[in-house]
Short mmCIF file of all heavy atoms in Angstrom, two decimals:
data_model
loop_
_atom_site.label_atom_id
_atom_site.label_comp_id
_atom_site.label_asym_id
_atom_site.label_seq_id
_atom_site.Cartn_x
_atom_site.Cartn_y
_atom_site.Cartn_z
N HIS A 1 -8.56 75.19 19.07
CA HIS A 1 -8.83 74.23 20.11
C HIS A 1 -8.27 72.82 19.80
O HIS A 1 -8.43 71.92 20.65
CB HIS A 1 -10.34 74.14 20.34
CG HIS A 1 -10.98 75.39 20.74
ND1 HIS A 1 -10.74 76.06 21.94
CD2 HIS A 1 -11.88 76.20 20.03
CE1 HIS A 1 -11.44 77.18 21.98
NE2 HIS A 1 -12.12 77.29 20.84
N ARG A 2 -7.68 72.67 18.62
CA ARG A 2 -7.20 71.33 18.22
C ARG A 2 -8.35 70.30 18.28
O ARG A 2 -8.21 69.18 18.76
CB ARG A 2 -6.02 70.84 19.07
CG ARG A 2 -4.83 71.78 19.01
CD ARG A 2 -4.22 71.86 17.61
NE ARG A 2 -3.73 70.54 17.15
CZ ARG A 2 -3.37 70.25 15.89
NH1 ARG A 2 -3.49 71.18 14.95
NH2 ARG A 2 -2.94 69.04 15.60
N LEU A 3 -9.49 70.74 17.78
CA LEU A 3 -10.68 69.87 17.72
C LEU A 3 -11.14 69.79 16.25
O LEU A 3 -10.86 70.72 15.46
CB LEU A 3 -11.81 70.46 18.57
CG LEU A 3 -11.63 70.35 20.11
CD1 LEU A 3 -12.70 71.19 20.80
CD2 LEU A 3 -11.68 68.92 20.60
N PRO A 4 -11.91 68.75 15.87
CA PRO A 4 -12.43 68.71 14.52
C PRO A 4 -13.38 69.89 14.24
O PRO A 4 -14.10 70.35 15.18
CB PRO A 4 -13.22 67.38 14.47
CG PRO A 4 -12.63 66.61 15.59
CD PRO A 4 -12.20 67.57 16.65
N ARG A 5 -13.37 70.35 13.02
CA ARG A 5 -14.32 71.43 12.62
C ARG A 5 -15.77 70.97 12.82
O ARG A 5 -16.58 71.74 13.37
CB ARG A 5 -14.09 71.80 11.16
CG ARG A 5 -15.02 72.86 10.62
CD ARG A 5 -14.88 73.08 9.13
NE ARG A 5 -15.76 74.07 8.65
CZ ARG A 5 -15.46 75.38 8.48
NH1 ARG A 5 -14.24 75.78 8.74
NH2 ARG A 5 -16.36 76.23 8.00
N ALA A 6 -16.07 69.75 12.45
CA ALA A 6 -17.43 69.22 12.53
C ALA A 6 -17.52 68.15 13.62
O ALA A 6 -16.60 67.36 13.80
CB ALA A 6 -17.88 68.64 11.24
N SER A 7 -18.62 68.17 14.35
CA SER A 7 -18.93 67.14 15.33
C SER A 7 -20.41 66.90 15.37
O SER A 7 -21.19 67.83 15.17
CB SER A 7 -18.41 67.54 16.74
OG SER A 7 -18.96 68.80 17.13
N ALA A 8 -20.80 65.66 15.58
CA ALA A 8 -22.24 65.40 15.48
C ALA A 8 -22.64 64.20 16.37
O ALA A 8 -21.81 63.35 16.71
CB ALA A 8 -22.57 65.01 14.03
N VAL A 9 -23.91 64.18 16.68
CA VAL A 9 -24.53 63.02 17.32
C VAL A 9 -25.79 62.67 16.51
O VAL A 9 -26.42 63.58 15.90
CB VAL A 9 -24.92 63.20 18.82
CG1 VAL A 9 -23.68 63.32 19.67
CG2 VAL A 9 -25.81 64.46 18.98
N ILE A 10 -26.13 61.41 16.50
CA ILE A 10 -27.36 60.94 15.84
C ILE A 10 -28.16 60.16 16.86
O ILE A 10 -27.59 59.32 17.61
CB ILE A 10 -27.04 60.06 14.61
CG1 ILE A 10 -26.35 60.88 13.54
CG2 ILE A 10 -28.32 59.40 14.07
CD1 ILE A 10 -25.89 60.07 12.32
N ALA A 11 -29.47 60.45 16.95
CA ALA A 11 -30.37 59.69 17.80
C ALA A 11 -31.36 58.94 16.90
O ALA A 11 -31.91 59.55 15.99
CB ALA A 11 -31.13 60.64 18.75
N LEU A 12 -31.53 57.66 17.17
CA LEU A 12 -32.49 56.83 16.45
C LEU A 12 -33.67 56.51 17.38
O LEU A 12 -33.46 56.33 18.59
CB LEU A 12 -31.89 55.53 15.97
CG LEU A 12 -30.79 55.63 14.91
CD1 LEU A 12 -30.27 54.20 14.58
CD2 LEU A 12 -31.32 56.29 13.63
N ASN A 13 -34.85 56.41 16.80
CA ASN A 13 -36.03 56.00 17.56
C ASN A 13 -36.61 54.75 16.96
O ASN A 13 -36.39 54.48 15.75
CB ASN A 13 -37.11 57.10 17.50
CG ASN A 13 -36.66 58.38 18.15
OD1 ASN A 13 -35.80 59.08 17.67
ND2 ASN A 13 -37.27 58.73 19.26
N ASP A 14 -37.26 53.98 17.78
CA ASP A 14 -37.95 52.76 17.25
C ASP A 14 -39.02 53.25 16.25
O ASP A 14 -39.83 54.11 16.57
CB ASP A 14 -38.61 51.98 18.39
CG ASP A 14 -39.26 50.74 17.94
OD1 ASP A 14 -40.39 50.84 17.39
OD2 ASP A 14 -38.68 49.64 18.14
N PRO A 15 -39.05 52.65 15.05
CA PRO A 15 -39.96 53.18 14.01
C PRO A 15 -41.46 52.94 14.34
O PRO A 15 -42.30 53.61 13.79
CB PRO A 15 -39.55 52.42 12.75
CG PRO A 15 -38.83 51.22 13.23
CD PRO A 15 -38.14 51.62 14.51
N GLU A 16 -41.75 52.04 15.28
CA GLU A 16 -43.16 51.78 15.64
C GLU A 16 -43.54 52.54 16.92
O GLU A 16 -44.50 53.27 16.92
CB GLU A 16 -43.37 50.30 15.83
CG GLU A 16 -44.83 49.98 16.19
CD GLU A 16 -45.10 48.49 16.34
OE1 GLU A 16 -44.20 47.71 16.01
OE2 GLU A 16 -46.21 48.15 16.79
N THR A 17 -42.74 52.35 18.00
CA THR A 17 -43.11 52.98 19.26
C THR A 17 -42.64 54.40 19.34
O THR A 17 -43.12 55.16 20.19
CB THR A 17 -42.53 52.19 20.45
OG1 THR A 17 -41.07 52.33 20.43
CG2 THR A 17 -42.90 50.71 20.38
N LEU A 18 -41.62 54.75 18.54
CA LEU A 18 -40.98 56.05 18.57
C LEU A 18 -40.15 56.34 19.81
O LEU A 18 -39.69 57.42 20.04
CB LEU A 18 -41.98 57.22 18.30
CG LEU A 18 -42.84 57.06 17.04
CD1 LEU A 18 -43.72 58.30 16.86
CD2 LEU A 18 -42.01 56.80 15.82
N VAL A 19 -39.95 55.30 20.61
CA VAL A 19 -39.07 55.41 21.80
C VAL A 19 -37.63 55.45 21.34
O VAL A 19 -37.22 54.73 20.45
CB VAL A 19 -39.28 54.24 22.73
CG1 VAL A 19 -38.28 54.18 23.89
CG2 VAL A 19 -40.72 54.25 23.32
N PRO A 20 -36.78 56.29 21.96
CA PRO A 20 -35.36 56.33 21.59
C PRO A 20 -34.70 54.96 21.79
O PRO A 20 -34.92 54.29 22.81
CB PRO A 20 -34.76 57.40 22.53
CG PRO A 20 -35.92 58.22 22.90
CD PRO A 20 -37.10 57.34 22.96
N ILE A 21 -33.87 54.54 20.81
CA ILE A 21 -33.21 53.26 20.88
C ILE A 21 -31.70 53.36 20.79
O ILE A 21 -30.95 52.46 21.16
CB ILE A 21 -33.72 52.25 19.84
CG1 ILE A 21 -33.62 52.85 18.40
CG2 ILE A 21 -35.16 51.84 20.13
CD1 ILE A 21 -33.96 51.88 17.34
N ALA A 22 -31.20 54.46 20.22
CA ALA A 22 -29.73 54.57 20.06
C ALA A 22 -29.29 56.04 20.03
O ALA A 22 -30.03 56.90 19.55
CB ALA A 22 -29.27 53.88 18.77
N ILE A 23 -28.13 56.28 20.59
CA ILE A 23 -27.43 57.55 20.48
C ILE A 23 -26.01 57.23 20.05
O ILE A 23 -25.35 56.35 20.70
CB ILE A 23 -27.41 58.34 21.78
CG1 ILE A 23 -28.87 58.65 22.21
CG2 ILE A 23 -26.62 59.61 21.65
CD1 ILE A 23 -28.95 59.27 23.62
N MET A 24 -25.50 57.87 19.01
CA MET A 24 -24.19 57.52 18.52
C MET A 24 -23.47 58.73 17.94
O MET A 24 -24.06 59.76 17.64
CB MET A 24 -24.31 56.44 17.42
CG MET A 24 -24.95 56.93 16.14
SD MET A 24 -25.28 55.54 14.98
CE MET A 24 -26.73 54.78 15.75
N ASP A 25 -22.14 58.59 17.88
CA ASP A 25 -21.35 59.55 17.17
C ASP A 25 -21.86 59.68 15.76
O ASP A 25 -22.07 58.71 15.06
CB ASP A 25 -19.89 59.17 17.17
CG ASP A 25 -19.05 60.05 16.25
OD1 ASP A 25 -18.77 61.19 16.64
OD2 ASP A 25 -18.75 59.63 15.11
N GLY A 26 -22.07 60.92 15.29
CA GLY A 26 -22.56 61.11 13.94
C GLY A 26 -21.56 61.71 12.99
O GLY A 26 -21.83 61.88 11.80
N THR A 27 -20.36 62.06 13.49
CA THR A 27 -19.36 62.70 12.68
C THR A 27 -18.89 61.81 11.52
O THR A 27 -18.85 62.23 10.36
CB THR A 27 -18.19 63.13 13.54
OG1 THR A 27 -18.65 63.83 14.71
CG2 THR A 27 -17.22 64.04 12.75
N VAL A 28 -18.56 60.58 11.86
CA VAL A 28 -18.09 59.63 10.82
C VAL A 28 -19.21 59.30 9.85
O VAL A 28 -19.02 59.19 8.66
CB VAL A 28 -17.49 58.38 11.47
CG1 VAL A 28 -17.17 57.31 10.44
CG2 VAL A 28 -16.22 58.77 12.26
N ILE A 29 -20.40 59.01 10.41
CA ILE A 29 -21.55 58.68 9.53
C ILE A 29 -21.85 59.82 8.58
O ILE A 29 -22.09 59.59 7.40
CB ILE A 29 -22.78 58.34 10.41
CG1 ILE A 29 -22.56 56.98 11.08
CG2 ILE A 29 -24.04 58.36 9.58
CD1 ILE A 29 -23.64 56.62 12.09
N SER A 30 -21.78 61.05 9.07
CA SER A 30 -22.05 62.19 8.22
C SER A 30 -21.06 62.27 7.05
O SER A 30 -21.41 62.48 5.91
CB SER A 30 -22.03 63.48 9.03
OG SER A 30 -22.41 64.60 8.27
N ALA A 31 -19.78 62.12 7.38
CA ALA A 31 -18.74 62.14 6.34
C ALA A 31 -18.89 60.94 5.37
O ALA A 31 -18.75 61.12 4.16
CB ALA A 31 -17.35 62.13 6.95
#
């Protein structure tokens, strides 16, 4: 498919309210 072997997303939550605050590409962070 000419796509990367690995692909990822990361979701962060507020540490107090636990409400979602961010969604981001996780492939680069993982590597």
